[in-house]
Amino acid sequence: MSEVSRQWWYVVQTKPRQELRARANLENQAFDVALPMLTLERIKRGKRTPTTEPLFPGYIFVKLPDYSQNFHKIRSTFGVTKVVKFGDAPARLSEQLVTDMLALGDDSPQVQEMQRYAAPQPGDKVEILDGPFKGLFAEILKLDGASRCVVLLDFLHKQVRAEFELSDVKR
C-alpha cells in the first residue's frame, strides 16, 4: 500500500475528562474515531465499584485519509485541545495497533494486571491516611467486605492487626 493512499490513525488530545464529548462531536462530523475503554474496580465512598474509563485518559484516535485537509476541523471541535505532534510531524498509529487496543477485553492478561493495581489487594503495601496510625505503612492481609480491609502494621516494635476503611489506605 502506498504512503499516499494509506489512512493513519492520528492521536488527538482532549480537554480533561471530555473524551466522550470529543468522540461524539468528531463522529458527528463523519470522522472515524477510536476510544479504547477499560472497566476497572475503583474505590468510591469506601465501596468497590466498577467504572468504565478511557484506556488513555485525555486522548482519542482519529482515522484520516488526508491529515492536512482535516487538521483545522479536528482542532476546532468541542472537547479537543490539539492534535499531538512530534516536532512538525503529527503522531500517528497503524491500523493494526488501534485494532489491537480496541480488542483488549476485560479478561486479557494486560487488563487484569491493570485491574489489580486499580484497587488494593491482599499482600499490597499501603500507607495509612487517617487516624492514630496516620503515616505508617502496613500490609493488607485480607479484604473484609466491600469497603474494609485487615492490615498488619509494625507499631512500637510489634506487629499489630488493624481494620481500616479502604478509603483510609493508599498504595
Side-chain angles (χ1 to χ4, degrees):
M1 186 180 292
S2 74
E3 196 65 30
V4 175
S5 65
R6 185 171 186 177
Q7 291 187 12
W8 290 95
W9 287 90
Y10 292 88
V11 182
V12 175
Q13 185 177 14
T14 65
K15 293 181 179 175
R17 293 175 297 288
Q18 291 194 22
E19 299 89 359
L20 297 174
R21 179 182 194 189
R23 178 179 68 180
N25 289 329
L26 287 166
E27 286 173 344
N28 286 341
Q29 297 176 57
F31 287 111
D32 286 331
V33 181
L35 176 58
M37 300 294 278
L38 183 65
T39 302
L40 296 172
E41 270 191 356
R42 297 277 186 200
I43 298 171
K44 291 185 180 176
R45 295 185 202 105
K47 300 220 187 257
R48 288 175 181 262
T49 56
T51 60
T52 302
E53 53 192 54
L55 181 60
F56 301 104
Y59 297 93
I60 58 175
F61 308 100
V62 180
K63 188 176 189 179
L64 299 174
D66 183 11
Y67 170 76
S68 60
Q69 188 177 16
N70 293 298
F71 170 75
H72 294 291
K73 279 187 195 177
I74 292 171
R75 214 186 94 35
S76 62
T77 300
F78 286 115
V80 170
T81 301
K82 65 181 179 180
V83 176
V84 177
K85 292 184 176 185
F86 298 108
D88 290 333
R92 60 187 191 179
L93 305 172
S94 69
E95 180 77 31
Q96 184 62 47
L97 182 59
V98 174
T99 302
D100 290 346
M101 285 189 293
L102 292 172
L104 279 176
D106 289 340
D107 57 348
S108 72
Q110 298 89 343
V111 172
Q112 288 179 352
E113 185 69 12
M114 291 174 82
Q115 288 174 338
R116 173 172 161 36
Y117 288 105
Q121 299 292 322
D124 288 349
K125 302 287 185 195
V126 293
E127 180 181 1
I128 310 300
L129 300 175
D130 199 20
F133 299 113
K134 181 178 180 177
L136 294 178
F137 291 91
E139 179 182 341
I140 295 181
L141 294 177
K142 69 177 185 173
L143 300 175
D144 189 15
S147 64
R148 297 187 64 78
C149 63
V150 177
V151 300
L152 185 64
L153 55 97
D154 286 321
F155 184 68
L156 299 175
H157 302 292
K158 290 187 179 184
Q159 293 199 333
V160 178
R161 282 180 174 237
E163 275 191 41
F164 289 95
E165 293 288 328
L166 286 171
S167 59
D168 290 339
V169 298
K170 171 182 90 168
R171 276 205 278 195

